[in-house]
Amino acid sequence: MLENALLLTADASSRDDQRAGRLLGFFGVSFETCDIKDFVSRLSSVSEGGYRIVCSTHTFASVMGELQSLENRIGIAQQIHSVFLYSNGDVSGAAKLITQISGARVSAAKPSGHDIDWQIADNVNGMFAVMRGLHVRPAAATLTHSSFFVVDENSASALIKAERQVAFLRINWRGVPVFVASERLIDINAELKTSNFDIRDHFFSAVPFVSYVRWAFEQSSWNAPEPGACLVIDDPLLKTRYGFLRFRELLALMKRAGFSTSIAFIPWNWRRSDPKVVKLFKDNRENYSLCIHGCDHTGGEFGISNQQRLRGIAREAISRMSLHEARTGLPHDRVMVFPQGIFSEQAIAELKHAGFNAVVNTEVHSTSSGPHQLKISDVWDVAVMNYASFPVYTRRYPAQGIENLAFDLLLGKPCLIVVHHDFFSKGYASLAEFINKLNALKVPLTWCSLGEVVRRGYRQKKLHSESVEVEMYGSELLIENRSNQPLTYHVRRREKETHSIEGISADSDRLQWNINGDYVEFTVGVAAGASTLLKIDFKPVNGVMQSRHDLTHSLKTVARRYLSEVRDNYLLPAKARMAAFSRS
């Protein structure tokens, strides 16, 4: 049965209806908007539609009479697959509607406290996916402006609740599951005012609807074929010990707990790797890998706008990592992690043309002034594509909570975690606990190198039984056809500067491609059980590169690197020992 979506509105579409439409569009759900009169006519004339109805509680209340009069002539349960009702701000009115159509005793209430966890229901017919069973503590400001239901759970299922308060529930009406959220829908066109999206700030307005879309439109919405994951540790040299980090101990933990680690390696250190640690990495490539962390790792080196200088920094970073690989035999991923998360839009463009595959970063806002004000929808995407049509994949610190990483996975983003060596100041127990929580999520994670996460970091949806639509982000994309029949993949990638593309290939075969607005599009067939590596080559920029090899710069870089190591290897451990001694 087709997953038909109807956005039901009153005579005029409201602000809440527009938000619903934007959310459906973001997830790639094809939908029709119709008013109450058209809706009743549609149900009367079609024998079996399987419609997923999305509308406000106020609109649904307006159509109830017509639906009840139709029920004697048609089977509502055969016509309507499910209903999602969002608030228009009148929670008391929504409570009355729920009581009317289900017989449940429902009332409206303000939050009873801020310091309580909200529980997401587990095992509710696939609803919530990766977020099933989680406990989340929303931000206090979010609770202050919210209202909730108080429900008699004998006749309604509480899906998101805290004590007697319910933010999302399910009732049955004439055999049709009806989902009701107490909060207005999130506006994904709103400006992102924080360094990254935090689900704790938008818990009630985002989780119910996104969870419903994932459940009701499982086949026809964008989804990630594989939930990739990787831990990234910034800065350390490849020495037996760096600060609180000991590579053999971390490897033992990776083997026990089942995860992978990418070291964000500073290219300036290319001559300084310990052969014993290099061998450890080479012997355990399923656990350890390298990515690129700046060049000299000086403050804001990629935050400038001078293109010639940025070009020189980007090329030097690649040159140093190539020398390190030639010296040690240890490969690296052409993925950039910016020092301190600082970058300009011009830096992204230079990395793109220097041969990088992607950026992975904690910060999503550039230093550049310009028209690239980010919206919530930009960071909900698999990767941020606002800068030079080049992907910035987001990563998170453990302090941001399992719930944020779980919501990233629900959206189709990869699970990327970042720590520094000082995270291990009290040993590896905290990391082990965090990784175990991630691996306990209801979706099994695929732990691999950061480069592999990027290659597999895309979204897709079925067009019909033999073809799939794919949205590509990085410069490389690995497609694996795990079905038992050959499939045709229709691939598209955002690219506003199509003249910068040198060529597109599938393995070693060149592909023909077309331009469609801001997208480049091409098609590739993949046999059953086979895979193919797609690659987009961008033309190198051959302009002048500004040299940075003056004596003052070199001396400052040397001083910064060695002073940082003194701090990490001696001062911070000594401070930790003193603190432990004072507590004993």
Side-chain angles (χ1 to χ4, degrees):
M1 183 183 294
L2 293 176
E3 296 174 342
N4 298 312
L6 286 181
L7 176 57
L8 180 59
T9 69
D11 293 337
S13 178
S14 69
R15 180 186 65 176
D16 300 296
D17 299 333
Q18 292 165 6
R19 290 183 178 184
R22 287 193 288 268
L23 282 162
L24 290 169
F26 173 83
F27 287 104
V29 176
S30 297
F31 67 97
E32 296 179 66
T33 301
C34 65
D35 60 23
I36 295 171
K37 181 179 178 182
D38 289 339
F39 174 62
V40 173
S41 174
R42 188 184 299 262
L43 289 188
S44 300
S45 59
V46 180
S47 60
E48 187 171 346
Y51 291 115
R52 281 82 168 150
I53 309 301
V54 175
C55 65
S56 71
T57 51
H58 177 76
T59 301
F60 196 72
S62 301
V63 79
M64 281 295 301
E66 286 83 352
L67 289 176
Q68 289 170 346
S69 67
L70 280 173
E71 188 180 8
N72 294 328
R73 293 189 289 113
I74 64 172
I76 292 293
Q78 282 69 48
Q79 290 286 65
I80 301 177
H81 169 274
S82 57
V83 179
F84 183 93
L85 303 180
Y86 48 85
S87 173
N88 61 346
D90 182 8
V91 179
S92 296
K96 291 178 182 177
L97 174 66
I98 297 167
T99 300
Q100 176 188 350
I101 65 178
S102 70
R105 295 193 299 273
V106 181
S107 58
K110 297 299 289 183
S112 60
H114 292 166
D115 297 326
I116 56 174
D117 290 343
W118 286 72
Q119 182 178 357
I120 300 174
D122 195 359
N123 196 28
V124 283
N125 300 319
M127 180 69 71
F128 301 117
V130 68
M131 299 195 77
R132 283 169 42 202
L134 289 184
H135 289 72
V136 179
R137 183 165 296 185
T142 302
L143 286 164
T144 300
H145 299 97
S146 300
S147 295
F148 306 107
F149 302 123
V150 177
V151 182
D152 171 12
E153 292 195 44
N154 291 325
S155 50
S157 299
L159 304 182
I160 297 179
K161 68 176 183 176
E163 298 173 345
R164 296 187 67 244
Q165 302 167 102
V166 178
F168 187 38
L169 57 81
R170 170 179 171 159
I171 57 175
N172 285 309
W173 170 72
R174 305 290 195 267
V176 175
V178 178
F179 301 88
V180 191
S182 65
E183 183 65 23
R184 282 189 140 121
L185 295 179
I186 188 171
D187 181 7
I188 58 172
N189 268 8
E191 177 188 354
L192 179 73
K193 296 183 178 180
T194 52
S195 60
N196 198 352
F197 180 83
D198 193 330
I199 192 57
R200 294 169 294 192
D201 295 331
H202 308 274
F203 182 60
F204 305 112
S205 62
V207 173
F209 191 81
V210 175
S211 300
Y212 173 75
V213 168
R214 288 301 189 212
W215 174 79
F217 304 98
E218 183 179 5
Q219 297 296 322
S220 57
S221 65
W222 289 116
N223 62 84
E226 193 169 46
C230 187
L231 171 71
V232 183
I233 304 178
D234 288 357
D235 301 341
L237 282 80
L238 300 192
K239 302 289 186 181
T240 303
R241 178 182 70 84
Y242 184 85
F244 297 100
L245 172 61
R246 288 166 175 78
F247 284 109
R248 286 194 179 277
E249 292 182 22
L250 179 61
L251 176 63
L253 176 60
M254 284 192 279
K255 298 287 189 182
R256 291 196 306 271
F259 67 100
S260 60
T261 298
S262 177
I263 300 300
F265 185 83
I266 301 172
W268 189 87
N269 292 320
W270 70 272
R271 296 184 184 89
R272 307 176 64 205
S273 294
D274 184 333
K276 293 180 181 178
V277 177
V278 168
K279 185 177 186 305
L280 185 74
F281 275 56
K282 291 167 72 174
D283 291 345
N284 296 277
R285 295 188 184 185
E286 71 281 6
N287 297 110
Y288 273 128
S289 61
L290 297 182
C291 61
I292 305 175
H293 192 29
C295 184
D296 291 336
H297 199 287
T298 54
E301 62 183 341
F302 280 98
I304 61 176
S305 58
N306 185 319
Q307 290 179 296
Q308 294 179 354
R309 187 171 181 184
L310 286 165
R311 193 167 303 149
I313 298 171
R315 301 293 170 85
E316 188 167 14
I318 286 179
S319 175
R320 287 171 169 174
M321 293 303 293
S322 297
L323 288 168
H324 182 266
E325 184 168 341
R327 185 185 184 96
T328 64
L330 189 60
H332 62 276
D333 295 317
R334 284 206 174 185
V335 176
M336 172 61 73
V337 175
F338 289 119
Q340 294 93 44
I342 300 171
F343 69 95
S344 64
E345 181 176 6
Q346 292 86 351
I348 299 288
E350 293 301 330
L351 295 181
K352 174 181 179 179
H353 292 283
F356 282 81
N357 292 331
V359 170
V360 170
N361 217 42
T362 49
E363 176 62 60
V364 295
H365 298 283
S366 76
T367 60
S368 313
S369 58
H372 295 290
Q373 186 180 72
L374 295 182
K375 299 180 292 187
I376 289 174
S377 59
D378 296 324
V379 294
W380 274 24
D381 207 344
V382 173
V384 176
M385 295 291 288
N386 297 56
Y387 306 110
S389 301
F390 196 66
V392 178
Y393 288 82
T394 57
R395 61 182 192 169
R396 296 185 184 274
Y397 288 98
Q400 292 176 274
I402 292 291
E403 59 268 34
N404 268 305
L405 289 161
F407 188 71
D408 284 346
L409 290 165
L410 186 65
L411 291 171
K413 297 164 68 73
C415 176
L416 299 176
I417 313 101
V418 55
V419 298
H420 292 78
H421 77 97
D422 56 356
F423 190 77
F424 311 114
S425 61
K426 297 180 181 179
Y428 296 90
S430 294
L431 178 62
E433 180 183 5
F434 192 78
I435 295 296
N436 288 336
K437 287 181 179 178
L438 285 174
N439 284 333
L441 293 173
K442 306 302 182 183
V443 174
L445 300 178
T446 301
W447 292 93
C448 52
S449 71
L450 199 58
E452 278 300 297
V453 171
V454 168
R455 287 184 196 96
R456 299 166 185 268
Y458 63 96
R459 62 181 187 173
Q460 67 178 27
K461 63 178 178 178
K462 269 195 171 184
L463 296 178
H464 50 76
S465 61
E466 298 179 354
S467 65
V468 180
E469 184 175 5
V470 169
E471 180 147 9
M472 179 179 181
Y473 293 85
S475 300
E476 295 181 350
L477 167 62
L478 180 65
I479 290 179
E480 295 179 308
N481 178 5
R482 298 177 180 177
S483 71
N484 56 6
Q485 64 176 5
L487 293 175
T488 299
Y489 292 86
H490 301 276
V491 185
R492 65 176 195 166
R493 185 188 184 280
R494 270 165 280 188
E495 182 53 65
K496 292 186 177 181
E497 299 177 355
T498 50
H499 62 274
S500 68
I501 296 177
E502 191 166 61
I504 300 176
S505 59
D507 296 326
S508 58
D509 299 327
R510 285 288 182 175
L511 299 177
Q512 297 294 318
W513 48 278
N514 301 307
I515 300 169
N516 185 1
D518 288 339
Y519 286 83
V520 57
E521 298 178 338
F522 54 95
T523 300
V524 61
V526 182
S531 64
T532 187
L533 180 64
L534 305 177
K535 186 175 181 182
I536 298 181
D537 293 313
F538 294 97
K539 297 173 183 176
V541 178
N542 298 317
V544 176
M545 291 185 289
Q546 184 175 325
S547 173
R548 303 180 301 122
H549 293 291
D550 60 90
L551 182 60
T552 301
H553 173 85
S554 297
L555 290 174
K556 285 183 177 179
T557 301
V558 170
R560 179 183 177 88
R561 294 272 47 83
Y562 280 100
L563 287 173
S564 295
E565 291 166 34
V566 168
R567 176 200 64 200
D568 294 343
N569 287 321
Y570 301 103
L571 297 181
L572 289 178
K575 184 178 179 180
R577 286 192 294 270
M578 290 293 291
F581 178 77
S582 65
R583 290 194 298 268
S584 63

